[in-house]
Amino acid sequence: MTVESVDRRPIGRIAPALLEDWLRDRYFELPIDISSSGVQDYSVGQLRDILGITARDLDEVQFRDSPSVGCLPLRQAIADRFGDGGPETVMVTHGSTEALFLALAALVSPGDEIVVLQPVYHSLHAIAETLGARLRVWRLDPEDGFTPDLDRFRDLLNERTKAVLVNFPHNPTGTTLSAAAYEEFLDLIARHDCHLLWDGAFTELVYDGPPLPDPRERLERAVSVGTLSKAYGLPGMRVGWCMAPAGLLTTMVKVRDYVSIATSPLAEFLATAVLRDGDRIAGRRLRQAAANREVLRAWALEDPEHIDLPVPLGGVSAFPAVRGVADVREICGDLEAHGVLVVPGFCFGYPDRMRIGFGGPPGVLRAGLRAISEVVGGPAGGAG
């Protein structure tokens, strides 16, 4: 068990987002991207063709401000697909990152105890830390393939716990909770007077069973966050959302008035069309990701001498270790010379690992894996 305590600090002194620092320029320069945690991007033209959106439809969108919580058609589409059909508990945000920021700003006071995961995406610990929370760390152990240990989680909860902040399926490892473990997880939280902040960015990206149901079906104090950036291949649309208790949404809107005011009506129009026909948009990319996962698995099995891969159960990112290498940054630099982008594990606190994204075009994944094999000395035909 790890407990970290910090004083509240000016928001400008938030910890650097190491992942974003690494990707900031490389993402736009390197042609073989196997770093990303989302599926292959769609173009506007592809969306229009699939969904039957006409130029006239787009011409009729007016660039006036949207409501503070998002337009009603999009909130209804989110509620219909992920919630209980009630749009009054839905807020549309600039990606899931804004939803997390607003929810934490509304919930956290200095000294509050917040349970967070390790390793984890930076927004899922740094915001709470900057707001003055005492972080109680639920470590996912690489020796167990990063499988969530509920006994370890149980020991972190107490009467001072203000919130539990988790991400399943998980970024960067792809681990998740089984259906039985999920029920036990929710039962443990229900016994405590705390909120659950559930980052469900990868909810629909699962391979061996149905997605986990939204926690708000069981927990009134749950805040459920989602996005079009990961499973839907629309990161540039910058549309996310949260479903939360009405009182909490009121406070989140108050904070938002100082940050972003509202979301774009054009983005909301497109997002509404996407979610009304979500199976067609997300389904295509899920099938591609599932096939890519098998390519990734076969590649790792070909070279157990160098690659230790916990097979992802969800999402489209894997977090393999390179055996015998304490810090993979030099390897990542060598891969750049091949035009290949991956994320070194130090961005998540595990320098011997790298994040590999497998949601993109199959040919790009195969080319990237071949380059890794060449650099680390694995089979020359890997992922061929």
Side-chain angles (χ1 to χ4, degrees):
M1 177 180 69
T2 303
V3 178
E4 298 180 12
S5 178
V6 296
D7 295 327
R8 186 168 186 150
R9 65 183 72 166
I11 195 67
R13 291 179 57 199
I14 195 168
L18 298 178
L19 172 63
E20 299 302 333
D21 284 345
W22 180 265
L23 294 177
R24 201 172 311 281
D25 296 322
R26 295 174 174 91
Y27 182 76
F28 300 99
E29 294 176 353
L30 296 175
I32 303 173
D33 176 17
I34 57 168
S35 71
S36 299
S37 59
V39 300
Q40 183 177 350
D41 301 334
Y42 281 104
S43 69
V44 174
Q46 288 172 323
L47 279 189
R48 289 182 59 196
D49 288 344
I50 296 169
L51 300 174
I53 298 171
T54 67
R56 183 181 181 87
D57 294 330
L58 297 176
D59 288 346
E60 291 178 354
V61 175
Q62 295 189 11
F63 285 109
R64 60 175 301 183
D65 281 337
S66 289
S68 297
V69 291
C71 71
L72 181 58
L74 178 52
R75 290 162 57 216
Q76 185 65 66
I78 293 166
D80 288 343
R81 187 163 180 85
F82 301 105
D84 59 5
E88 64 278 356
T89 61
V90 177
M91 181 177 187
V92 182
T93 59
H94 290 268
S96 57
T97 300
E98 186 187 29
L100 288 166
F101 181 91
L102 296 176
L104 287 165
L107 276 174
V108 175
S109 299
D112 286 344
E113 289 195 0
I114 309 292
V115 176
V116 299
L117 291 168
Q118 185 188 51
V120 78
Y121 183 69
H122 49 266
S123 289
L124 296 168
H125 70 87
I127 296 169
E129 182 181 44
T130 300
L131 293 171
R134 300 181 70 240
L135 303 186
R136 296 174 65 82
V137 178
W138 182 13
R139 184 171 182 267
L140 304 178
D141 192 340
E143 300 302 318
D144 297 329
F146 295 104
T147 301
D149 185 332
L150 290 180
D151 289 333
R152 186 174 292 169
F153 173 65
R154 182 184 292 106
D155 291 342
L156 296 172
L157 297 172
N158 58 54
E159 67 279 1
R160 296 181 300 278
T161 305
K162 183 66 172 290
V164 174
L165 177 55
V166 295
N167 159 227
F168 294 116
H170 178 254
N171 177 15
T173 69
T175 193
T176 193
L177 295 163
S178 68
Y182 180 60
E183 291 301 316
E184 183 179 352
F185 170 77
L186 295 181
D187 286 342
L188 289 169
I189 294 175
R191 297 173 198 166
H192 295 80
D193 186 21
C194 65
H195 282 77
L196 168 63
L197 273 68
W198 177 264
D199 177 7
F202 306 96
T203 291
E204 296 178 89
L205 286 171
V206 290
Y207 306 104
D208 303 318
L212 296 173
D214 192 273
R216 286 187 52 76
E217 294 181 12
R218 287 270 313 274
L219 295 177
E220 182 180 350
R221 294 187 304 277
V223 179
S224 177
V225 173
T227 180
L228 293 184
S229 295
K230 303 304 180 183
Y232 288 83
L234 300 168
M237 197 177 289
R238 304 312 307 150
V239 170
W241 60 86
C242 70
M243 296 181 288
L248 184 63
L249 287 183
T250 299
T251 306
M252 292 171 65
V253 167
K254 183 170 65 174
V255 177
R256 185 180 213 180
D257 287 342
Y258 290 89
V259 181
S260 63
I261 309 295
T263 43
S264 160
L266 179 58
E268 289 186 345
F269 170 80
L270 292 170
T272 302
V274 166
L275 289 176
R276 284 174 173 169
D277 204 358
D279 288 346
R280 280 210 289 172
I281 300 299
R284 295 179 182 208
R285 295 304 193 236
L286 175 60
R287 290 189 291 273
Q288 178 174 291
N292 282 350
R293 186 179 73 140
E294 295 311 307
V295 170
L296 179 71
R297 192 203 306 255
W299 167 77
L301 287 173
E302 285 182 12
D303 190 18
E305 179 184 352
H306 295 98
I307 303 298
D308 173 21
L309 173 73
V311 176
L313 302 176
V316 289
S317 65
F319 203 45
V322 180
R323 298 187 192 276
V325 178
D327 191 326
V328 302
R329 269 178 279 192
E330 184 175 347
I331 291 174
C332 294
D334 291 342
L335 287 171
E336 288 184 45
H338 290 72
V340 176
L341 177 60
V342 296
V343 177
F346 85 93
C347 295
F348 298 95
Y350 288 76
D352 62 324
R353 294 179 176 269
M354 64 176 67
R355 189 179 78 176
I356 296 176
F358 59 91
V364 171
L365 175 64
R366 291 178 183 275
L369 296 179
R370 281 196 298 269
I372 296 174
S373 293
E374 180 177 336
V375 168
V376 302

